[in-house]
Amino acid sequence: MFIDIPSELEAALTDRSLPPWELDGSFLAQSTMERYRTELMATSRFEETAGILRHALTGEGGGYAVLRLGNLSKALGAGDRFRRLATAFAAEVAVPFSPFPRWPLWKDIGVKVDKDPGRSSGIGYNAFHMDLVNATRPPDYTTLLCVRPDPLGGGPSILSDAHAAVARLSEDSRALLAELAYHYGTFFDLFGVGEEYKPFPILDGSDPGEGFIRFTAKMLERSELGQAHTDAARELAEELVRGQVSFMLQPGDYLIVNQRRFLHGREALHSGQETVPVSDRRLLLQLFLRAPAGDGSAA
């Protein structure tokens, strides 16, 4: 699931400067997507690389990919030129958008030592979850672009095949997970993700191997659930950990996760984060994607 950029494509992209993007509401404008695609299709092996990326995300056995853009980030830095290229790759998968009107298209995820350790910007273990779990139309893809890894060496990304984990559960547990019994988090000031879903089922009734697995391990500690439903969700959490893969994102690595197949999280950052200057701490950029209507990944 790691995709290297061919050297001739890297060379072509290093010399190319895409125009600033435009938004249509909270979504990347269709005109921008067409402009980016037209310009990059003219570069050697872009279409081939984009096809490999799409297959890794939606093909049999797939569900996530890491696009290795490190050489481009070294050549271009992590500013606008590089982010436009990453946006163009993302637009080959689905439509980039921001569900948070108070944030730009790309949202910074830094490190704050005084935050809840289990949150994305915290320093502790960020347990398996899907983003915007309590929305009726969660993003089809969540993506993370690594600007800086933890300089102390912590914080590996973790991913797990949610459908494979569910398949290992008992029928009784699956029946409980399909009930409208779960809730987590708040819901306000959001665009493009439907309405609040509360309570929601963890299993949405789709055929086995399809649909969202609406799960966040944080609900086990922060939501009032009946014992039977808690036990079923805890069993799923254990199976997710049992099947997890783990890797360190390097500068320029672009992780894209199909939320209909995989859940994601992060191991704890290394101790001593308070000694690291804020400007040197781990920094990721997050972007969400909505699959077009009629696409197999669309909500």
Side-chain angles (χ1 to χ4, degrees):
M1 302 300 179
F2 289 80
I3 301 173
D4 292 313
I5 305 298
S7 57
E8 55 266 51
L9 178 56
E10 283 184 338
L13 295 180
T14 300
D15 294 333
R16 190 164 298 264
S17 182
L18 296 174
W21 58 68
E22 295 182 358
L23 298 180
D24 182 2
S26 60
F27 289 81
L28 189 68
Q30 183 65 31
S31 58
T32 295
M33 294 178 64
E34 292 173 355
R35 174 77 180 275
Y36 285 180
R37 188 160 213 274
T38 297
E39 293 208 20
L40 296 188
M41 286 290 285
T43 60
S44 176
R45 303 187 68 180
F46 175 78
E47 184 174 15
E48 171 192 343
T49 304
I52 293 171
L53 174 62
R54 288 190 293 268
H55 180 75
L57 293 167
T58 62
E60 184 175 355
Y64 74 92
V66 178
L67 201 58
R68 313 305 295 264
L69 303 177
N71 289 337
L72 287 169
S73 70
K74 289 178 183 177
L76 303 177
D80 289 343
R81 284 187 64 193
F82 179 61
R83 297 183 193 196
R84 290 170 195 164
L85 285 173
T87 303
F89 274 107
E92 289 295 309
V93 174
V95 183
F97 79 107
S98 172
F100 310 109
R102 60 189 181 279
W103 286 317
L105 189 62
W106 289 89
K107 172 191 171 186
D108 287 8
I109 299 180
V111 174
K112 300 177 181 178
V113 297
D114 57 344
K115 285 285 187 179
D116 178 346
R119 297 184 67 85
S120 59
S121 59
I123 62 176
Y125 175 65
N126 188 8
F128 280 114
H129 63 281
M130 68 170 291
D131 290 326
L132 293 163
V133 65
N134 60 336
T136 55
R137 299 186 68 234
D140 295 295
Y141 299 87
T142 185
T143 83
L144 294 166
L145 180 62
C146 180
V147 176
R148 288 188 304 272
D150 177 6
L152 301 180
S157 296
I158 54 174
L159 292 105
S160 192
D161 184 331
H163 291 282
V166 167
R168 295 191 294 269
L169 301 177
S170 68
E171 288 188 16
D172 288 345
S173 291
R174 290 198 295 269
L176 287 164
L177 296 175
E179 294 180 1
L180 289 164
Y182 297 91
H183 53 93
Y184 174 78
T186 58
F187 190 95
F188 63 93
D189 199 18
L190 297 173
F191 288 162
V193 293
E195 306 297 329
E196 182 175 15
Y197 200 0
K198 179 182 179 181
F200 56 81
I202 290 178
L203 308 184
D204 67 3
S206 299
D207 292 336
E210 298 182 2
F212 289 115
I213 306 296
R214 293 178 176 275
F215 180 79
T216 172
K218 296 171 187 175
M219 69 173 69
L220 296 170
E221 306 296 335
R222 305 180 190 181
S223 300
E224 294 183 3
L225 304 172
Q227 190 61 52
H229 292 100
T230 297
D231 290 345
R234 195 175 302 280
E235 184 182 352
L236 174 56
E238 292 170 355
E239 289 298 333
L240 288 166
V241 172
R242 182 177 303 175
Q244 79 176 34
V245 295
S246 174
F247 48 82
M248 288 290 294
L249 293 175
Q250 301 302 321
D253 281 352
Y254 188 23
L255 170 63
I256 304 177
V257 182
N258 184 338
Q259 291 216 116
R260 291 179 175 271
R261 298 191 179 187
F262 273 73
L263 300 178
H264 67 285
R266 186 208 66 228
E267 299 284 4
L269 302 182
H270 198 282
S271 60
Q273 293 297 314
E274 66 280 355
T275 68
V276 179
V278 173
S279 60
D280 294 337
R281 292 175 185 169
R282 184 178 191 260
L283 176 62
L284 304 180
L285 303 176
Q286 186 171 45
L287 176 69
F288 297 100
L289 309 179
R290 168 71 65 212
D295 184 283
S297 299

